[in-house]
Amino acid sequence: MSKIYETEVAGRPLSLEFGKVAGLANGSVIVRYGDTVVISCATASDKPRDGIDFFPLSIDYEEKMYAVGKIPGGFNRREGKPSDHAILTSRVIDRPMRPLFPKDLRNDVSIVSTVVSVDQDNSPEFCAMIGSSIAVSVSDIPFNGPVAAVYVGMIDGEFIINPTVEQREASDLNLVVSGSAKKVVMIEAGANEVSETDMYNAIMFAHEEIKKICAFLQKIVDEIGKPKFEYEHVTVDQALFDDIRDYAEEQVKQALDTDDKTVRDARLLVVYEDVYIHFEDKYPQEEYKDQIDEALYKLQKTIVRNWIMYEKKRVDGRGILELRPLSSEVGLLPRVHGSGLFSRGQTQCLSVTTLAPIGDAQTIDGVGLEESKRYMHQYNFPSYSVGETRPSRGPGRREIGHGALAERALLPVLPSVDEFPYAIRVVSEVLSSNGSTSQGSICGSTLSLMDAGVPIKAPVAGISVGLITDPEDDDNFITMVDIQGLEDFFGDMDFKVAGTKKGITAIQMDLKVDGLTPDIIKTALEQTRNARFYILDEVMLKAIAEPREDISEYAPKIINMAIPVDKIREVIGSGGKVIQGIVADTGAKIDIEEDGRIYIAAVDTKAGELAKKMIEDIIREPEVGEIYDGKVVKIMDFGAFVEILPGTDGLVHISKLAKGRVEKVTDVVHEGDMIKVEVIEIQPNGKINLRKIED
């Protein structure tokens, strides 16, 4: 028998129905928000997966095209791999939930949210976040939830929970916050240069709504939640850990104490081998290797956290708020349209900009309203960037997520299509990685766009803040700016903030603890602001102070023009013959919008101008008295038809071919001849009469 629980969020009904579908899953729910419907299911394996040292959680957000009355594109006409948007939504659900599972759980857990109906005013992503949380919470899978999430918009300084489509279009903020009843667990934002104060207030505003939803969800868990199953706990034998700490602590400290990741890794390798050999009799590798590795990892983590928390000492010797050495460079690649190299310590990102006709914008096949994307930002993380050897297999979820973060950060400063009628693609290649590559890619991409001559409104920089907390005391914490890889691995947070001097354009927060207090959030926002200003003023703007005045000689030049909508058919021609002819004659690429705007792209400016003139000739209305150089296109007994403009013919009657009497038309002209003619009459039905002008 099914059971339905109902509440309201942002003045719209939210209902959760249990026991109706997916009865074989550990937990399942139908989430309805307005006319949006999502089915969320959670399952777990009976036994832990052997031979792993991590929690095998998979979270998937599945978009079904029937949800919006569409048949999928492609030959198969069925959903294929997840869209980038679906992957990004899966990550947004994953990040707040993962820290709330037991750290030593090794059973496979899968959470799937399937979008089966979409009302665009009521976000299916919101439904999936709520559904994923409550499906696990009411199941027998161990989980320290529930959590909830909401979207926040801002219009004229006023915050709005779960904005509608119309409100989203007017909003300066697209913020999603997840949290428990006590703390904020996840933040992701795109913003139109919003101040730190407004961003903090928006996060707190969201958390107040989250508390209400969590109370609603907790009531459901209390009523129908299943007892959590017992699982095999993975712990390091305390006696083994104490032995290894007593023997190897000083060696590990010496190995970690360097600003060079390569040196550190080499030193640690020696320590590991020494520990294996030293304890071979007491803890033989064949039986204890995994526990020894876990103990050494725990020892490194303890050392690094204690250094930062109690000694204010960082692995590479920096101060808590000190940035690594920074450098910027532009114009590295001679034939690309724009390039920028940004280095921060051992992290190095090369970003390359390509400008193209607006028709090269990305087409999107999804359940949302967006059908195309003019700005595309892609991020690549090859194995050599971390000194590893593995084949490239295309972008994974992390690469897609980091590319989307950089895209979100730069989108608010890009010029409009009317100001700069180009499709823009930026590719960030991570050449070396020791933390904060996503923020390095934002800095490098700003440099690249400016080098390409894109008139951005303001330069954008990105920086991250890390966190070490005291598990016993929420008020005892320390944040550090510009975290490197080891501080990310062993720390509790990676709080990434990008923006201009005016305000924030993007946030993404990864967390490993059960949430953040308001003080931590406020501190992180302030520290990233100061660091961002330093990076902009002292590093990036010294490499290139403003966008170049002209785009690259290798980039296509775009010519804008507009024609009456009723003339579009004439420019295209039957079966596209006219427009195809112009393209063939000039080599230009021509994109025609439904409102009559035309974008002509050509590397050779003369070719673009020629294409423009040919279009202008097509839409030009002939007038009596005008003289044209026309082409004879057809001979009849009574005269010759002459093309005076592309697609526009007029008749030169036989009596108008010459001053004297003409016996046969072919005595004067033949098909293909070029002759000078004058318009002498335009009839009400549009027919044009001409006379031949004597040379």
Side-chain angles (χ1 to χ4, degrees):
M1 179 183 292
S2 69
K3 190 163 187 179
I4 298 174
Y5 294 85
E6 295 178 324
T7 188
E8 279 194 357
V9 178
R12 283 161 272 166
L14 171 69
S15 81
L16 307 178
E17 185 172 3
F18 301 87
K20 186 167 187 175
V21 298
L24 298 181
N26 295 60
S28 63
V29 61
I30 301 175
V31 183
R32 300 178 187 273
Y33 190 42
D35 286 339
T36 293
V37 184
V38 173
I39 299 172
S40 295
C41 301
T43 54
S45 61
D46 294 331
K47 296 180 179 179
R49 194 193 300 182
D50 292 331
I52 61 171
D53 59 358
F54 61 91
F55 171 40
L57 171 67
S58 65
I59 294 182
D60 292 290
Y61 173 83
E62 296 184 341
E63 298 174 317
K64 299 299 182 182
M65 299 300 284
Y66 55 69
V68 288
K70 291 182 182 178
I71 294 176
F75 290 108
N76 292 332
R77 288 292 189 261
R78 69 177 297 164
E79 292 82 4
K81 71 173 187 175
S83 67
D84 284 0
H85 177 76
I87 289 171
L88 296 172
T89 303
S90 299
R91 283 169 53 87
V92 167
I93 300 170
D94 184 301
R95 291 209 304 277
M97 294 188 66
R98 187 176 291 271
L100 301 182
F101 286 93
K103 295 185 184 301
D104 61 345
L105 182 62
R106 297 295 180 262
N107 299 57
D108 285 275
V109 174
S110 174
I111 303 170
V112 180
S113 291
T114 306
V115 181
V116 293
S117 177
V118 174
D119 162 10
Q120 299 294 350
D121 277 337
N122 296 296
S123 162
E125 297 88 352
F126 166 74
C127 295
M129 289 185 284
I130 299 298
S132 298
S133 171
I134 194 61
V136 176
S137 296
V138 301
S139 77
D140 60 347
I141 302 170
F143 180 65
N144 188 27
V147 291
V150 293
Y151 284 82
V152 179
M154 184 176 75
I155 301 175
D156 296 329
E158 297 292 324
F159 300 128
I160 301 163
I161 295 292
N162 289 357
T164 63
V165 171
E166 184 179 352
Q167 290 170 331
R168 275 175 252 160
E169 291 175 353
S171 177
D172 287 323
L173 178 65
N174 179 18
L175 169 69
V176 56
V177 179
S178 295
S180 64
K182 295 181 179 179
K183 297 179 181 178
V184 172
V185 186
M186 192 278 301
I187 303 167
E188 183 151 318
N192 188 19
E193 299 180 283
V194 168
S195 71
E196 281 73 15
T197 299
D198 282 342
M199 185 64 75
Y200 173 79
N201 290 337
I203 293 167
M204 294 300 103
F205 181 77
H207 194 224
E208 289 303 312
E209 188 69 26
I210 286 169
K211 291 176 184 177
K212 299 174 188 176
I213 300 174
C214 282
F216 168 67
L217 298 180
Q218 187 61 55
K219 177 186 175 185
I220 298 171
V221 175
D222 292 342
E223 289 189 15
I224 66 171
K226 302 175 184 176
K228 302 302 183 182
F229 65 67
E230 291 296 324
Y231 64 94
E232 295 180 25
H233 295 271
V234 179
T235 57
V236 176
D237 180 80
Q238 189 61 43
L240 180 147
F241 176 75
D242 291 342
D243 286 343
I244 290 176
R245 182 188 58 198
D246 293 342
Y247 174 74
E249 185 170 12
E250 289 305 315
Q251 295 180 59
V252 172
K253 285 182 178 180
Q254 291 174 14
L256 292 174
D257 196 6
T258 175
D259 62 354
D260 191 315
K261 179 179 181 293
T262 305
V263 171
R264 183 185 307 119
D265 290 346
R267 288 177 180 176
L268 285 170
L269 188 62
V270 173
V271 174
Y272 272 66
E273 290 299 324
D274 181 56
V275 170
Y276 293 149
I277 293 170
H278 181 81
F279 288 103
E280 180 60 30
D281 291 337
K282 189 172 184 179
Y283 304 116
Q285 282 192 62
E286 185 175 341
E287 183 179 351
Y288 288 96
K289 183 177 184 300
D290 288 345
Q291 285 216 47
I292 293 172
D293 288 349
E294 186 69 25
L296 284 168
Y297 178 87
K298 181 179 177 181
L299 180 57
Q300 292 175 64
K301 183 173 182 177
T302 301
I303 290 169
V304 171
R305 292 174 68 89
N306 286 342
W307 274 351
I308 295 171
M309 176 70 90
Y310 303 112
E311 300 180 33
K312 307 298 184 287
K313 167 187 169 66
R314 299 178 73 171
V315 173
D316 54 9
R318 281 182 292 147
I320 295 300
L321 301 181
E322 185 180 349
L323 304 181
R324 286 173 287 176
L326 304 168
S327 67
S328 294
E329 188 178 343
V330 296
L332 288 80
L333 308 178
R335 286 282 181 147
V336 304
H337 301 163
S339 58
L341 180 68
F342 183 81
S343 301
R344 182 173 9 227
Q346 289 182 304
T347 290
Q348 193 175 54
C349 297
L350 172 66
S351 290
V352 182
T353 297
T354 304
L355 306 177
I358 202 70
D360 286 353
Q362 181 182 359
T363 301
I364 296 174
D365 190 18
V367 300
L369 293 174
E370 189 179 27
E371 295 182 350
S372 66
K373 188 163 65 172
R374 170 208 179 200
Y375 176 58
M376 300 151 276
H377 195 120
Q378 292 154 0
Y379 166 103
N380 296 317
F381 191 87
S383 59
Y384 64 75
S385 67
V386 287
E388 296 179 357
T389 304
R390 64 175 184 271
S392 297
R393 291 288 184 260
R397 289 191 171 196
R398 179 179 180 276
E399 286 89 344
I400 291 170
H402 282 357
L405 174 61
E407 184 174 293
R408 195 181 307 120
L410 290 160
L411 196 58
V413 302
L414 292 178
S416 67
V417 174
D418 291 337
E419 295 171 301
F420 194 72
Y422 286 88
I424 306 168
R425 178 181 184 238
V426 176
V427 179
S428 293
E429 307 284 1
V430 177
L431 305 181
S432 179
S433 172
N434 188 19
S436 292
T437 55
S438 64
Q439 302 309 286
S441 73
I442 291 170
C443 298
S445 298
T446 294
L447 297 170
S448 178
L449 287 164
M450 293 170 74
D451 184 50
V454 179
I456 60 174
K457 299 171 187 175
V460 179
I463 190 68
S464 63
V465 166
L467 171 72
I468 302 293
T469 58
D470 182 343
E472 306 301 325
D473 182 1
D474 285 345
D475 294 327
N476 187 18
F477 68 90
I478 188 169
T479 55
M480 56 280 188
V481 174
D482 183 20
I483 58 174
Q484 60 171 303
L486 210 63
E487 294 167 335
D488 187 6
F489 300 149
F490 296 147
D492 296 325
M493 175 182 78
D494 183 4
F495 197 119
K496 312 178 187 80
V497 181
T500 65
K501 296 289 287 288
K502 183 179 177 182
I504 295 169
T505 58
I507 292 179
Q508 187 179 91
M509 186 187 78
D510 296 325
L511 202 61
K512 299 173 187 173
V513 290
D514 64 355
L516 300 183
T517 63
D519 283 346
I520 295 174
I521 296 170
K522 186 177 290 186
T523 301
L525 289 173
E526 181 62 27
Q527 290 178 349
T528 55
R529 177 181 181 274
N530 296 336
R532 192 171 77 237
F533 282 21
Y534 177 85
I535 295 167
L536 286 168
D537 291 336
E538 300 300 324
V539 183
M540 293 173 59
L541 294 180
K542 288 185 176 179
I544 181 168
E546 58 187 17
R548 300 198 189 282
E549 291 185 5
D550 299 314
I551 64 173
S552 166
E553 63 179 299
Y554 303 109
K557 312 304 182 290
I558 306 290
I559 298 173
N560 292 355
M561 63 182 301
I563 64 172
V565 174
D566 59 1
K567 292 289 185 180
I568 293 176
R569 181 176 296 179
E570 294 178 31
V571 174
I572 294 174
S574 176
K577 289 182 180 178
V578 175
I579 196 73
Q580 290 170 9
I582 297 173
V583 170
D585 290 343
T586 64
K589 181 171 182 180
I590 302 171
D591 294 307
I592 303 178
E593 303 292 328
E594 292 181 356
D595 61 1
R597 286 179 298 167
I598 297 180
Y599 302 104
I600 303 167
V603 175
D604 182 356
T605 304
K606 291 182 179 178
E609 293 292 349
L610 177 58
K612 179 182 179 183
K613 182 179 183 305
M614 294 173 75
I615 294 172
E616 288 174 339
D617 286 344
I618 293 171
I619 65 172
R620 221 164 88 198
E621 295 287 350
E623 295 183 7
V624 174
E626 285 189 334
I627 296 174
Y628 297 91
D629 289 318
K631 181 179 180 180
V632 178
V633 293
K634 192 173 184 181
I635 299 292
M636 304 293 288
D637 291 341
F638 51 82
F641 285 95
V642 178
E643 184 181 58
I644 58 173
L645 292 171
T648 302
D649 299 342
L651 173 66
V652 181
H653 192 268
I654 191 171
S655 64
K656 304 297 182 182
L657 280 172
K659 290 183 179 179
R661 179 180 174 79
V662 176
E663 294 292 337
K664 292 173 58 180
V665 173
T666 52
D667 290 341
V668 181
V669 295
H670 299 85
E671 280 192 23
D673 287 352
M674 296 297 299
I675 62 174
K676 193 177 292 292
V677 295
E678 178 187 2
V679 178
I680 58 175
E681 182 186 17
I682 300 176
Q683 298 180 15
N685 61 5
K687 291 183 178 180
I688 301 170
N689 292 322
L690 310 169
R691 74 175 181 88
K692 182 175 179 296
I693 298 176
E694 298 293 337
D695 295 334

